[in-house]
Amino acid sequence: MAALKKGQKASAQSKPGRSLALILIALVALTGGMFASGHTTPRLGIDLAGGTSITLAAVPEADQESAINKTNMDTAVSIMERRVNGLGVSEAEVQTQGTRNIIVNIPKGTNSEQAREQVGTTAKLYFRPVLQRDQSGAAATPDSGASPSASASTGSGDDADGDQAASPTPTDGATSQGRAVTEALKADPTPGASASASGSGKDDGGLEAQYAALDCTKPAQRVDAGKGVKPTEGTVACGQDSAGQWQKYLLGPAEVEGGDVDKAEAVYDTQGGAGWKVTLGFTDSGSKKFAAITGKLAQKQSPQNEFAIVLDGNVVSNPYVRQALSGSAEISGNFKQEEAKNLANILSYGSLPLSFREDSVTTVTAALGGEQLQAGLIAGAIGLALVVLYLLFYYRGLSFIAILSLLVSAALTYVIMSLLGPTIGFALNLPAVCGAIVAIGITADSFIVFFERVRDEIREGRSLRPAVERAWPRARRTVLVSDFVSFLAAAVLFVVTVGKVQGFAFTLGLTTVLDVVVVFFFTKPLLTLMARRPFFARGHKWSGLDPKALGAKPPLRRTRRPVPAAVGAVESKEA
């Protein structure tokens, strides 16, 4: 039995190099990924990099308090993200705060007044007939919404063959475009088109010029397209086709509004084979409006048999019509599940009884953010320096292991934070920096627990190598319990709080997990290797493991147990 235990101990101590190699390979791989991605620094939050933070509070209509729910708030976030992206803004953040607030963080370099106007207004959803559409500019990144090449039909699935609308014949030059626009307007495809053309205050030539000059590949023009146009007027708009190409549209007056939609759902067609589709239900008045417009559009040729679903001046889908529809309809066209759900949410939002009130707007300059970051880094450096001085003074040679462990932990934290920016949108704000500073103490505490367990074993008279192995199980339990409590606190804080406080909780939780990884795969194996070196094994006075300095007992020795007198007498008699 004794030989078996000895063999187990030898096996446990014989391959610490594997753990060290594993964590170093992981560090090199992550660092390589960081440089390969081009994101070599953590992404900074609004409070450090500068920008504008807008807080919006949901305001329901009278007797519609239940409208403030997770589904509607998530849909509002999706709409606002679409608006902010329409400004050409990169790295903007839109997220819910609690149950009724939305936080919009927009980085520096963006017109804050224009952004406030875009995100603070209620979404406007309209169904407009398409009079003309043409490709506009080069390819763009495909939008997350529905494919605009879908088809519309009754809910019976009569369009199972899935024919798509024919592509319009592009017109050549502004003159041809203007002639096509004029003919489309004079064709009066909808009951209100002539009124739009004559009574909107904009003559045919003005709308022709807008359509001819519109370049939807430019964010500024996409935002301004149709701005300030009344629902009863014709307008121009931008949208993307299924291939991600920007298209420009000439649209007639709105025939159906978002409020006319009673219900919209994304469903999977298991019988007709159409795949994912969006089913629509209308109110009584909406059914009449929809029947009137689809009855006219069904008699037209492409693209004038299409109606555009327009949200905030952006065409999110342009299905074509085969026949007159009534109170229910469906939109299909090779949708993916996410595309169908996004379109259903957009259609539902048109009748959403929610508006938003601007609660606060905070603007942070880049200079102020830089000062805050510098102050945070100085505080972290001071805290780290104090920890290192304490380790050097108290643990001497052992501090070498602790400092190396801190450096590995810091490197892992930096690299992972740099990678999390482009992958999940993590932004390092000032509270997150505070969380990293607090983590220095948590990490150092784990080393101290392990070192003190080893020193206790040496005080009991054991040599260093068995002391390390006997101390590790008890130190391991203490470290795991301590880090579990810290991680649980960070997780609870992350769940119950919002905004910048979540940055503190996320960083604290991340560094706590990394503390466990470093202690298990670096600190303990490194100390096992160092215990084989004479400097530590013989307890040099500068090693931090000097038995005399620690007040160790005499070395434990095995002695024979004395034989009882009665037994000895029996044995001698038998002899």
Side-chain angles (χ1 to χ4, degrees), residues 463-521:
S463 58
L464 181 56
R465 292 180 67 176
V468 170
E469 297 307 318
R470 288 179 63 89
W472 173 241
R474 291 189 292 171
R476 178 178 59 199
R477 287 193 296 268
T478 304
V479 169
L480 287 175
V481 170
S482 175
D483 283 345
F484 175 75
V485 172
S486 296
F487 182 81
L488 184 61
V492 171
L493 192 63
F494 184 85
V495 171
V496 302
T497 59
V498 290
K500 296 179 180 179
V501 180
Q502 285 186 326
F504 173 84
F506 183 85
T507 305
L508 184 60
L510 174 64
T511 51
T512 300
V513 172
L514 290 179
D515 175 47
V516 175
V517 173
V518 170
V519 170
F520 275 68
F521 291 93

Tab-separated table of all heavy atoms in Angstrom, residues 463-521:
chain	number	residue	atom	x	y	z
A	463	SER	N	9.848	18.276	4.046
A	463	SER	CA	10.675	18.911	3.019
A	463	SER	C	9.761	19.519	1.960
A	463	SER	O	8.551	19.267	1.927
A	463	SER	CB	11.632	17.891	2.396
A	463	SER	OG	10.897	16.811	1.839
A	464	LEU	N	10.355	20.301	1.042
A	464	LEU	CA	9.550	21.136	0.151
A	464	LEU	C	8.701	20.326	-0.831
A	464	LEU	O	7.509	20.617	-1.005
A	464	LEU	CB	10.456	22.096	-0.625
A	464	LEU	CG	9.738	23.048	-1.592
A	464	LEU	CD1	8.684	23.867	-0.853
A	464	LEU	CD2	10.725	23.958	-2.288
A	465	ARG	N	9.267	19.316	-1.478
A	465	ARG	CA	8.512	18.614	-2.517
A	465	ARG	C	7.255	17.934	-1.978
A	465	ARG	O	6.168	18.133	-2.531
A	465	ARG	CB	9.422	17.612	-3.220
A	465	ARG	CG	10.505	18.297	-4.045
A	465	ARG	CD	11.403	17.303	-4.746
A	465	ARG	NE	10.685	16.569	-5.775
A	465	ARG	CZ	11.274	15.689	-6.600
A	465	ARG	NH1	12.575	15.452	-6.480
A	465	ARG	NH2	10.570	15.049	-7.504
A	466	PRO	N	7.333	17.155	-0.889
A	466	PRO	CA	6.072	16.623	-0.344
A	466	PRO	C	5.191	17.711	0.249
A	466	PRO	O	3.962	17.575	0.269
A	466	PRO	CB	6.536	15.631	0.719
A	466	PRO	CG	7.922	16.014	1.046
A	466	PRO	CD	8.504	16.587	-0.192
A	467	ALA	N	5.782	18.807	0.724
A	467	ALA	CA	4.981	19.903	1.275
A	467	ALA	C	4.097	20.529	0.202
A	467	ALA	O	2.930	20.868	0.445
A	467	ALA	CB	5.897	20.959	1.895
A	468	VAL	N	4.654	20.676	-1.023
A	468	VAL	CA	3.873	21.255	-2.125
A	468	VAL	C	2.688	20.356	-2.471
A	468	VAL	O	1.551	20.827	-2.638
A	468	VAL	CB	4.773	21.463	-3.357
A	468	VAL	CG1	3.928	21.830	-4.586
A	468	VAL	CG2	5.804	22.548	-3.092
A	469	GLU	N	2.919	19.054	-2.546
A	469	GLU	CA	1.848	18.134	-2.930
A	469	GLU	C	0.800	17.976	-1.836
A	469	GLU	O	-0.388	17.800	-2.138
A	469	GLU	CB	2.446	16.768	-3.284
A	469	GLU	CG	3.388	16.811	-4.483
A	469	GLU	CD	2.746	17.453	-5.700
A	469	GLU	OE1	1.564	17.160	-5.967
A	469	GLU	OE2	3.408	18.254	-6.371
A	470	ARG	N	1.231	18.035	-0.576
A	470	ARG	CA	0.243	17.929	0.516
A	470	ARG	C	-0.537	19.227	0.686
A	470	ARG	O	-1.702	19.217	1.075
A	470	ARG	CB	0.964	17.574	1.828
A	470	ARG	CG	1.475	16.145	1.898
A	470	ARG	CD	2.182	15.895	3.220
A	470	ARG	NE	1.261	16.050	4.355
A	470	ARG	CZ	0.512	15.067	4.864
A	470	ARG	NH1	0.573	13.845	4.334
A	470	ARG	NH2	-0.274	15.280	5.890
A	471	ALA	N	0.097	20.358	0.380
A	471	ALA	CA	-0.577	21.644	0.542
A	471	ALA	C	-1.583	21.918	-0.568
A	471	ALA	O	-2.589	22.610	-0.356
A	471	ALA	CB	0.456	22.761	0.592
A	472	TRP	N	-1.332	21.385	-1.760
A	472	TRP	CA	-2.159	21.710	-2.919
A	472	TRP	C	-3.633	21.332	-2.764
A	472	TRP	O	-4.510	22.164	-3.073
A	472	TRP	CB	-1.566	21.080	-4.169
A	472	TRP	CG	-2.421	21.214	-5.387
A	472	TRP	CD1	-2.967	20.220	-6.133
A	472	TRP	CD2	-2.854	22.435	-6.001
A	472	TRP	NE1	-3.700	20.712	-7.161
A	472	TRP	CE2	-3.659	22.081	-7.119
A	472	TRP	CE3	-2.665	23.780	-5.715
A	472	TRP	CZ2	-4.244	23.020	-7.950
A	472	TRP	CZ3	-3.253	24.736	-6.544
A	472	TRP	CH2	-4.030	24.357	-7.649
A	473	PRO	N	-3.997	20.131	-2.302
A	473	PRO	CA	-5.440	19.819	-2.198
A	473	PRO	C	-6.200	20.779	-1.308
A	473	PRO	O	-7.311	21.202	-1.643
A	473	PRO	CB	-5.444	18.388	-1.632
A	473	PRO	CG	-4.131	17.813	-2.034
A	473	PRO	CD	-3.164	18.951	-1.966
A	474	ARG	N	-5.617	21.139	-0.156
A	474	ARG	CA	-6.313	22.064	0.745
A	474	ARG	C	-6.352	23.486	0.165
A	474	ARG	O	-7.379	24.171	0.254
A	474	ARG	CB	-5.631	22.060	2.113
A	474	ARG	CG	-5.811	20.750	2.884
A	474	ARG	CD	-5.310	20.874	4.294
A	474	ARG	NE	-3.849	21.029	4.329
A	474	ARG	CZ	-3.161	21.336	5.427
A	474	ARG	NH1	-3.800	21.520	6.570
A	474	ARG	NH2	-1.842	21.445	5.376
A	475	ALA	N	-5.233	23.909	-0.427
A	475	ALA	CA	-5.216	25.238	-1.050
A	475	ALA	C	-6.179	25.298	-2.225
A	475	ALA	O	-6.865	26.310	-2.437
A	475	ALA	CB	-3.796	25.571	-1.499
A	476	ARG	N	-6.249	24.211	-2.981
A	476	ARG	CA	-7.135	24.161	-4.142
A	476	ARG	C	-8.582	24.363	-3.740
A	476	ARG	O	-9.327	25.124	-4.380
A	476	ARG	CB	-6.952	22.814	-4.843
A	476	ARG	CG	-7.849	22.577	-6.044
A	476	ARG	CD	-7.528	21.224	-6.663
A	476	ARG	NE	-7.738	20.164	-5.675
A	476	ARG	CZ	-7.202	18.951	-5.790
A	476	ARG	NH1	-6.415	18.656	-6.802
A	476	ARG	NH2	-7.453	18.029	-4.865
A	477	ARG	N	-9.019	23.691	-2.680
A	477	ARG	CA	-10.412	23.848	-2.221
A	477	ARG	C	-10.681	25.289	-1.810
A	477	ARG	O	-11.729	25.857	-2.136
A	477	ARG	CB	-10.685	22.895	-1.053
A	477	ARG	CG	-10.802	21.431	-1.454
A	477	ARG	CD	-11.376	20.601	-0.314
A	477	ARG	NE	-10.478	20.596	0.846
A	477	ARG	CZ	-9.552	19.694	1.045
A	477	ARG	NH1	-9.360	18.714	0.150
A	477	ARG	NH2	-8.796	19.733	2.127
A	478	THR	N	-9.731	25.887	-1.078
A	478	THR	CA	-9.930	27.267	-0.620
A	478	THR	C	-10.000	28.228	-1.800
A	478	THR	O	-10.860	29.125	-1.838
A	478	THR	CB	-8.781	27.682	0.322
A	478	THR	OG1	-8.696	26.759	1.396
A	478	THR	CG2	-9.016	29.080	0.872
A	479	VAL	N	-9.119	28.053	-2.781
A	479	VAL	CA	-9.104	28.929	-3.956
A	479	VAL	C	-10.402	28.795	-4.745
A	479	VAL	O	-11.008	29.800	-5.173
A	479	VAL	CB	-7.891	28.607	-4.847
A	479	VAL	CG1	-8.001	29.317	-6.193
A	479	VAL	CG2	-6.600	29.004	-4.154
A	480	LEU	N	-10.878	27.566	-4.945
A	480	LEU	CA	-12.105	27.356	-5.704
A	480	LEU	C	-13.312	27.966	-5.004
A	480	LEU	O	-14.162	28.599	-5.647
A	480	LEU	CB	-12.332	25.855	-5.932
A	480	LEU	CG	-11.408	25.182	-6.946
A	480	LEU	CD1	-11.666	23.684	-6.989
A	480	LEU	CD2	-11.602	25.787	-8.328
A	481	VAL	N	-13.393	27.786	-3.693
A	481	VAL	CA	-14.525	28.361	-2.950
A	481	VAL	C	-14.481	29.886	-3.011
A	481	VAL	O	-15.501	30.545	-3.251
A	481	VAL	CB	-14.513	27.864	-1.486
A	481	VAL	CG1	-15.537	28.637	-0.662
A	481	VAL	CG2	-14.808	26.377	-1.426
A	482	SER	N	-13.297	30.452	-2.810
A	482	SER	CA	-13.163	31.911	-2.839
A	482	SER	C	-13.516	32.472	-4.209
A	482	SER	O	-14.268	33.451	-4.321
A	482	SER	CB	-11.732	32.297	-2.456
A	482	SER	OG	-11.553	33.685	-2.581
A	483	ASP	N	-12.977	31.854	-5.272
A	483	ASP	CA	-13.262	32.349	-6.621
A	483	ASP	C	-14.711	32.105	-7.021
A	483	ASP	O	-15.290	32.893	-7.771
A	483	ASP	CB	-12.330	31.674	-7.622
A	483	ASP	CG	-10.930	32.272	-7.589
A	483	ASP	OD1	-10.769	33.363	-7.016
A	483	ASP	OD2	-9.996	31.641	-8.124
A	484	PHE	N	-15.302	31.030	-6.530
A	484	PHE	CA	-16.717	30.781	-6.831
A	484	PHE	C	-17.598	31.881	-6.242
A	484	PHE	O	-18.524	32.361	-6.898
A	484	PHE	CB	-17.147	29.424	-6.288
A	484	PHE	CG	-18.628	29.153	-6.460
A	484	PHE	CD1	-19.150	28.819	-7.695
A	484	PHE	CD2	-19.500	29.264	-5.385
A	484	PHE	CE1	-20.500	28.589	-7.858
A	484	PHE	CE2	-20.852	29.044	-5.535
A	484	PHE	CZ	-21.352	28.701	-6.779
A	485	VAL	N	-17.281	32.292	-5.005
A	485	VAL	CA	-18.056	33.371	-4.379
A	485	VAL	C	-17.893	34.663	-5.178
A	485	VAL	O	-18.864	35.386	-5.426
A	485	VAL	CB	-17.622	33.555	-2.916
A	485	VAL	CG1	-18.274	34.806	-2.324
A	485	VAL	CG2	-17.985	32.335	-2.089
A	486	SER	N	-16.650	34.957	-5.596
A	486	SER	CA	-16.409	36.174	-6.382
A	486	SER	C	-17.138	36.111	-7.720
A	486	SER	O	-17.752	37.098	-8.159
A	486	SER	CB	-14.908	36.361	-6.610
A	486	SER	OG	-14.230	36.562	-5.400
A	487	PHE	N	-17.080	34.959	-8.376
A	487	PHE	CA	-17.753	34.828	-9.671
A	487	PHE	C	-19.266	34.911	-9.521
A	487	PHE	O	-19.952	35.521	-10.351
A	487	PHE	CB	-17.375	33.493	-10.313
A	487	PHE	CG	-17.977	33.298	-11.681
A	487	PHE	CD1	-17.392	33.875	-12.790
A	487	PHE	CD2	-19.125	32.543	-11.849
A	487	PHE	CE1	-17.947	33.707	-14.053
A	487	PHE	CE2	-19.687	32.369	-13.098
A	487	PHE	CZ	-19.095	32.951	-14.208
A	488	LEU	N	-19.801	34.308	-8.458
A	488	LEU	CA	-21.246	34.371	-8.229
A	488	LEU	C	-21.689	35.812	-8.004
A	488	LEU	O	-22.727	36.241	-8.526
A	488	LEU	CB	-21.612	33.501	-7.022
A	488	LEU	CG	-23.106	33.372	-6.699
A	488	LEU	CD1	-23.853	32.727	-7.859
A	488	LEU	CD2	-23.306	32.567	-5.419
A	489	ALA	N	-20.913	36.566	-7.236
A	489	ALA	CA	-21.242	37.975	-7.009
A	489	ALA	C	-21.206	38.748	-8.320
A	489	ALA	O	-22.089	39.583	-8.587
A	489	ALA	CB	-20.266	38.580	-6.004
A	490	ALA	N	-20.184	38.471	-9.165
A	490	ALA	CA	-20.092	39.158	-10.453
A	490	ALA	C	-21.262	38.795	-11.359
A	490	ALA	O	-21.822	39.658	-12.050
A	490	ALA	CB	-18.768	38.811	-11.125
A	491	ALA	N	-21.659	37.509	-11.358
A	491	ALA	CA	-22.774	37.074	-12.202
A	491	ALA	C	-24.088	37.723	-11.777
A	491	ALA	O	-24.866	38.189	-12.616
A	491	ALA	CB	-22.892	35.550	-12.154
A	492	VAL	N	-24.333	37.747	-10.468
A	492	VAL	CA	-25.560	38.376	-9.972
A	492	VAL	C	-25.562	39.863	-10.308
A	492	VAL	O	-26.576	40.423	-10.744
A	492	VAL	CB	-25.697	38.158	-8.451
A	492	VAL	CG1	-26.847	38.982	-7.893
A	492	VAL	CG2	-25.893	36.682	-8.141
A	493	LEU	N	-24.422	40.515	-10.122
A	493	LEU	CA	-24.317	41.934	-10.432
A	493	LEU	C	-24.555	42.189	-11.912
A	493	LEU	O	-25.199	43.172	-12.291
A	493	LEU	CB	-22.936	42.448	-10.021
A	493	LEU	CG	-22.726	43.971	-10.013
A	493	LEU	CD1	-23.649	44.626	-9.003
A	493	LEU	CD2	-21.274	44.310	-9.697
A	494	PHE	N	-24.059	41.296	-12.755
A	494	PHE	CA	-24.234	41.464	-14.194
A	494	PHE	C	-25.703	41.318	-14.595
A	494	PHE	O	-26.192	42.027	-15.470
A	494	PHE	CB	-23.386	40.429	-14.934
A	494	PHE	CG	-23.420	40.570	-16.430
A	494	PHE	CD1	-22.560	41.442	-17.072
A	494	PHE	CD2	-24.307	39.817	-17.206
A	494	PHE	CE1	-22.585	41.574	-18.454
A	494	PHE	CE2	-24.341	39.949	-18.580
A	494	PHE	CZ	-23.474	40.829	-19.204
A	495	VAL	N	-26.411	40.398	-13.929
A	495	VAL	CA	-27.808	40.133	-14.292
A	495	VAL	C	-28.735	41.238	-13.798
A	495	VAL	O	-29.637	41.680	-14.522
A	495	VAL	CB	-28.249	38.765	-13.732
A	495	VAL	CG1	-29.749	38.565	-13.909
A	495	VAL	CG2	-27.486	37.646	-14.409
A	496	VAL	N	-28.536	41.701	-12.578
A	496	VAL	CA	-29.489	42.630	-11.976
A	496	VAL	C	-29.182	44.077	-12.295
A	496	VAL	O	-30.004	44.960	-12.006
A	496	VAL	CB	-29.553	42.442	-10.441
A	496	VAL	CG1	-29.926	41.024	-10.091
A	496	VAL	CG2	-28.222	42.819	-9.778
A	497	THR	N	-28.019	44.383	-12.867
A	497	THR	CA	-27.687	45.759	-13.196
A	497	THR	C	-27.683	45.936	-14.706
A	497	THR	O	-27.799	44.982	-15.468
A	497	THR	CB	-26.317	46.158	-12.630
A	497	THR	OG1	-25.311	45.290	-13.158
A	497	THR	CG2	-26.309	46.073	-11.116
A	498	VAL	N	-27.517	47.176	-15.121
A	498	VAL	CA	-27.506	47.496	-16.543
A	498	VAL	C	-26.432	48.537	-16.801
A	498	VAL	O	-25.869	49.126	-15.882
A	498	VAL	CB	-28.874	48.056	-16.996
A	498	VAL	CG1	-29.931	46.991	-16.986
A	498	VAL	CG2	-29.301	49.223	-16.111
A	499	GLY	N	-26.170	48.766	-18.083
A	499	GLY	CA	-25.272	49.840	-18.451
A	499	GLY	C	-23.830	49.589	-18.050
A	499	GLY	O	-23.299	48.488	-18.144
A	500	LYS	N	-23.204	50.652	-17.554
A	500	LYS	CA	-21.771	50.607	-17.281
A	500	LYS	C	-21.413	49.689	-16.125
A	500	LYS	O	-20.306	49.145	-16.084
A	500	LYS	CB	-21.266	52.023	-16.991
A	500	LYS	CG	-21.400	52.958	-18.187
A	500	LYS	CD	-20.916	54.360	-17.856
A	500	LYS	CE	-21.056	55.275	-19.057
A	500	LYS	NZ	-20.602	56.649	-18.742
A	501	VAL	N	-22.327	49.510	-15.164
A	501	VAL	CA	-22.035	48.628	-14.041
A	501	VAL	C	-21.827	47.200	-14.530
A	501	VAL	O	-21.057	46.431	-13.948
A	501	VAL	CB	-23.164	48.688	-12.993
A	501	VAL	CG1	-22.867	47.772	-11.817
A	501	VAL	CG2	-23.338	50.121	-12.505
A	502	GLN	N	-22.483	46.835	-15.618
A	502	GLN	CA	-22.290	45.511	-16.181
A	502	GLN	C	-20.852	45.319	-16.659
A	502	GLN	O	-20.335	44.198	-16.647
A	502	GLN	CB	-23.258	45.267	-17.338
A	502	GLN	CG	-24.687	45.004	-16.891
A	502	GLN	CD	-25.586	44.626	-18.045
A	502	GLN	OE1	-25.417	45.102	-19.163
A	502	GLN	NE2	-26.563	43.770	-17.791
A	503	GLY	N	-20.209	46.405	-17.081
A	503	GLY	CA	-18.811	46.306	-17.476
A	503	GLY	C	-17.930	45.898	-16.315
A	503	GLY	O	-17.018	45.071	-16.468
A	504	PHE	N	-18.194	46.459	-15.141
A	504	PHE	CA	-17.456	46.073	-13.937
A	504	PHE	C	-17.683	44.600	-13.622
A	504	PHE	O	-16.736	43.850	-13.359
A	504	PHE	CB	-17.902	46.942	-12.760
A	504	PHE	CG	-17.327	46.515	-11.435
A	504	PHE	CD1	-16.070	46.933	-11.025
A	504	PHE	CD2	-18.053	45.691	-10.582
A	504	PHE	CE1	-15.533	46.540	-9.808
A	504	PHE	CE2	-17.533	45.285	-9.364
A	504	PHE	CZ	-16.268	45.709	-8.978
A	505	ALA	N	-18.937	44.173	-13.658
A	505	ALA	CA	-19.272	42.790	-13.327
A	505	ALA	C	-18.665	41.815	-14.339
A	505	ALA	O	-18.147	40.758	-13.966
A	505	ALA	CB	-20.795	42.628	-13.279
A	506	PHE	N	-18.720	42.164	-15.618
A	506	PHE	CA	-18.174	41.278	-16.643
A	506	PHE	C	-16.669	41.104	-16.474
A	506	PHE	O	-16.150	39.983	-16.546
A	506	PHE	CB	-18.478	41.833	-18.032
A	506	PHE	CG	-18.012	40.958	-19.160
A	506	PHE	CD1	-18.803	39.913	-19.616
A	506	PHE	CD2	-16.777	41.166	-19.754
A	506	PHE	CE1	-18.364	39.094	-20.650
A	506	PHE	CE2	-16.334	40.360	-20.783
A	506	PHE	CZ	-17.129	39.323	-21.234
A	507	THR	N	-15.967	42.208	-16.257
A	507	THR	CA	-14.516	42.128	-16.091
A	507	THR	C	-14.153	41.347	-14.845
A	507	THR	O	-13.216	40.533	-14.852
A	507	THR	CB	-13.915	43.542	-16.020
A	507	THR	OG1	-14.322	44.283	-17.171
A	507	THR	CG2	-12.404	43.484	-15.982
A	508	LEU	N	-14.882	41.574	-13.759
A	508	LEU	CA	-14.614	40.858	-12.516
A	508	LEU	C	-14.826	39.355	-12.703
A	508	LEU	O	-14.021	38.535	-12.250
A	508	LEU	CB	-15.516	41.384	-11.400
A	508	LEU	CG	-15.297	40.795	-10.001
A	508	LEU	CD1	-13.879	41.064	-9.520
A	508	LEU	CD2	-16.313	41.370	-9.018
A	509	GLY	N	-15.913	38.982	-13.374
A	509	GLY	CA	-16.162	37.566	-13.625
A	509	GLY	C	-15.116	36.940	-14.529
A	509	GLY	O	-14.657	35.817	-14.288
A	510	LEU	N	-14.716	37.670	-15.585
A	510	LEU	CA	-13.707	37.154	-16.509
A	510	LEU	C	-12.377	36.929	-15.805
A	510	LEU	O	-11.747	35.862	-15.954
A	510	LEU	CB	-13.524	38.134	-17.672
A	510	LEU	CG	-12.394	37.823	-18.657
A	510	LEU	CD1	-12.656	36.514	-19.389
A	510	LEU	CD2	-12.221	38.974	-19.649
A	511	THR	N	-11.928	37.908	-15.034
A	511	THR	CA	-10.635	37.772	-14.350
A	511	THR	C	-10.677	36.711	-13.251
A	511	THR	O	-9.654	36.083	-12.964
A	511	THR	CB	-10.215	39.121	-13.753
A	511	THR	OG1	-11.292	39.667	-12.967
A	511	THR	CG2	-9.859	40.117	-14.839
A	512	THR	N	-11.837	36.491	-12.663
A	512	THR	CA	-11.964	35.437	-11.656
A	512	THR	C	-11.789	34.059	-12.293
A	512	THR	O	-11.103	33.184	-11.752
A	512	THR	CB	-13.327	35.525	-10.956
A	512	THR	OG1	-13.452	36.802	-10.313
A	512	THR	CG2	-13.466	34.433	-9.902
A	513	VAL	N	-12.396	33.855	-13.463
A	513	VAL	CA	-12.227	32.587	-14.176
A	513	VAL	C	-10.764	32.401	-14.581
A	513	VAL	O	-10.189	31.310	-14.441
A	513	VAL	CB	-13.140	32.545	-15.416
A	513	VAL	CG1	-12.837	31.314	-16.269
A	513	VAL	CG2	-14.603	32.536	-14.997
A	514	LEU	N	-10.143	33.468	-15.061
A	514	LEU	CA	-8.737	33.376	-15.461
A	514	LEU	C	-7.837	33.111	-14.265
A	514	LEU	O	-6.784	32.464	-14.403
A	514	LEU	CB	-8.311	34.670	-16.164
A	514	LEU	CG	-8.919	34.909	-17.549
A	514	LEU	CD1	-8.433	36.227	-18.121
A	514	LEU	CD2	-8.571	33.765	-18.493
A	515	ASP	N	-8.227	33.583	-13.083
A	515	ASP	CA	-7.447	33.305	-11.871
A	515	ASP	C	-7.379	31.801	-11.609
A	515	ASP	O	-6.314	31.254	-11.303
A	515	ASP	CB	-8.071	34.037	-10.680
A	515	ASP	CG	-7.393	33.689	-9.373
A	515	ASP	OD1	-6.154	33.698	-9.329
A	515	ASP	OD2	-8.103	33.397	-8.396
A	516	VAL	N	-8.508	31.134	-11.747
A	516	VAL	CA	-8.530	29.675	-11.561
A	516	VAL	C	-7.634	28.997	-12.601
A	516	VAL	O	-6.853	28.091	-12.283
A	516	VAL	CB	-9.970	29.140	-11.660
A	516	VAL	CG1	-9.989	27.615	-11.589
A	516	VAL	CG2	-10.834	29.724	-10.542
A	517	VAL	N	-7.738	29.438	-13.850
A	517	VAL	CA	-6.921	28.837	-14.918
A	517	VAL	C	-5.440	29.008	-14.629
A	517	VAL	O	-4.646	28.068	-14.750
A	517	VAL	CB	-7.283	29.473	-16.276
A	517	VAL	CG1	-6.331	28.981	-17.369
A	517	VAL	CG2	-8.722	29.140	-16.655
A	518	VAL	N	-5.034	30.219	-14.231
A	518	VAL	CA	-3.610	30.498	-14.001
A	518	VAL	C	-3.088	29.709	-12.798
A	518	VAL	O	-1.993	29.133	-12.842
A	518	VAL	CB	-3.393	32.017	-13.812
A	518	VAL	CG1	-1.977	32.299	-13.337
A	518	VAL	CG2	-3.663	32.752	-15.113
A	519	VAL	N	-3.865	29.676	-11.712
A	519	VAL	CA	-3.406	28.960	-10.513
A	519	VAL	C	-3.249	27.474	-10.800
A	519	VAL	O	-2.259	26.848	-10.390
A	519	VAL	CB	-4.382	29.194	-9.344
A	519	VAL	CG1	-4.051	28.264	-8.179
A	519	VAL	CG2	-4.300	30.637	-8.875
A	520	PHE	N	-4.184	26.875	-11.521
A	520	PHE	CA	-4.155	25.436	-11.774
A	520	PHE	C	-3.110	25.052	-12.830
A	520	PHE	O	-2.448	24.024	-12.696
A	520	PHE	CB	-5.534	24.942	-12.222
A	520	PHE	CG	-6.457	24.613	-11.092
A	520	PHE	CD1	-6.965	25.601	-10.261
A	520	PHE	CD2	-6.828	23.303	-10.847
A	520	PHE	CE1	-7.817	25.302	-9.219
A	520	PHE	CE2	-7.685	22.992	-9.801
A	520	PHE	CZ	-8.175	23.998	-8.979
A	521	PHE	N	-3.001	25.868	-13.883
A	521	PHE	CA	-2.160	25.470	-15.017
A	521	PHE	C	-0.811	26.176	-15.069
A	521	PHE	O	-0.001	25.862	-15.944
A	521	PHE	CB	-2.912	25.709	-16.338
A	521	PHE	CG	-4.064	24.786	-16.539
A	521	PHE	CD1	-5.339	25.159	-16.129
A	521	PHE	CD2	-3.900	23.548	-17.125
A	521	PHE	CE1	-6.415	24.304	-16.307
A	521	PHE	CE2	-4.965	22.695	-17.306
A	521	PHE	CZ	-6.224	23.065	-16.890
